[in-house]
Amino acid sequence: MSVDQAIAAMPGIPRGPKGPVFREPWEAQAFAMTLALHQRGLFGWNEWTAVLGEEIKRAQAGGDPDTGETYYRHWLAALERIVAEKGVTDSAALGRYRDAWEHAAERTPHGTPIELQPHDFIR
């Protein structure tokens, strides 16, 4: 599936006149990882949209106002869920990396690229 086909298949994707709109670099990276994993055959697009839809519904049930600002948080939750369900990784590893990224972000000056270092995994 091409990027254009993926965008057409996902009516909820925030977009502008030239294609998807990302508020933060990580959103574009999550989008790109999803397309790459789909193209490698890890999951079908219908499977992906079902998991994403479930994550959005779960967030709405938890009080998410669904203003569009949290769309890629749901996207990321769906991506984490599907790679864990497919056995690519597990929830514990995802949690360790999430914590390490948070630690790395805390120690990184604003405007500087965040880089993981071994000590980011020790808390």
Side-chain angles (χ1 to χ4, degrees):
M1 173 175 292
S2 71
V3 172
D4 291 335
Q5 290 170 323
I7 293 167
M10 298 295 301
I13 291 178
R15 61 184 90 185
K18 295 184 180 181
V21 175
F22 305 104
R23 294 172 194 255
E24 301 284 338
W26 72 264
E27 295 175 346
Q29 293 167 343
F31 181 85
M33 284 189 288
T34 303
L35 290 182
L37 292 171
H38 165 72
Q39 289 170 341
R40 286 181 172 84
L42 184 65
F43 49 81
W45 205 247
N46 288 338
E47 182 180 11
W48 166 254
T49 58
V51 171
L52 177 59
E54 290 168 9
E55 290 299 325
I56 291 170
K57 287 178 186 173
R58 182 185 330 221
Q60 289 170 339
D64 187 303
D66 197 20
T67 61
E69 294 177 11
T70 56
Y71 182 79
Y72 281 104
R73 291 188 189 278
H74 311 319
W75 187 284
L76 183 58
L79 182 58
E80 290 178 348
R81 178 176 149 194
I82 206 164
V83 297
E85 288 175 356
K86 297 291 183 172
V88 174
T89 190
D90 59 35
S91 296
L94 290 169
R96 284 192 304 277
Y97 272 88
R98 187 179 308 109
D99 292 346
W101 277 110
E102 286 179 17
H103 183 252
E106 290 169 1
R107 68 166 168 71
T108 303
H110 181 71
T112 304
I114 299 171
E115 296 180 8
L116 283 179
Q117 296 176 5
H119 67 273
D120 292 320
F121 290 90
I122 303 168
R123 293 241 28 196

